Amino acid sequence: MTHDDMTHLLDAILCLKSKEELERFFVDLCTIQEINSLVQRFDVALQLDQGLTYAQIANITHASTATISRVNRSLVYGEDGYRLAIDRLRGKEEKEDV
């Protein structure tokens, strides 16, 4: 995979304008299992951010401890992508509660 390949994919995602359009794109792009894995990883990140233990997260998400560990490593040592998304999502939720 080249940088240009990733750039084209990211540009395609950024040009979509609604959750419905994003959902349609991801359903076409990914298998159901791939989508489920992405959903599970982000759910694990949310649970880790809330301070839950690996055992609690495994029970809630049915993720393996290897997956939980991988997501945790990304949260701690990664590019801060999870952090950015979680913080923005939490900020949006707080605004909606007002």
Side-chain angles (χ1 to χ4, degrees):
M1 177 174 64
T2 68
H3 176 72
D4 287 342
D5 294 334
M6 186 161 180
T7 297
H8 289 141
L9 175 62
L10 297 175
D11 287 344
I13 292 167
L14 287 171
C15 78
L16 300 170
K17 297 179 180 168
S18 68
K19 286 181 187 179
E20 179 187 345
E21 288 181 1
L22 282 164
E23 183 178 353
R24 290 168 50 197
F25 181 76
F26 276 96
V27 166
D28 284 349
L29 181 68
C30 302
T31 65
I32 295 299
Q33 183 57 42
E34 290 167 334
I35 292 170
N36 288 339
S37 293
L38 293 170
V39 168
Q40 183 184 62
R41 287 182 203 144
F42 191 65
D43 194 23
V44 166
L46 291 170
Q47 304 296 329
L48 285 166
D49 187 58
Q50 291 178 346
L52 274 66
T53 66
Y54 280 30
Q56 290 170 315
I57 295 168
N59 188 45
I60 293 167
T61 65
H62 306 290
S64 68
T65 54
T67 295
I68 297 167
S69 179
R70 187 177 325 117
V71 172
N72 191 52
R73 270 194 313 276
S74 293
L75 276 168
V76 175
Y77 303 110
E79 299 290 322
D80 289 331
Y82 279 123
R83 173 62 38 223
L84 183 62
I86 290 168
D87 289 349
R88 287 191 180 165
L89 185 62
R90 298 236 191 273
K92 180 181 176 186
E93 289 172 351
E94 288 172 9
K95 288 179 185 175
E96 289 175 354
D97 289 341
V98 174

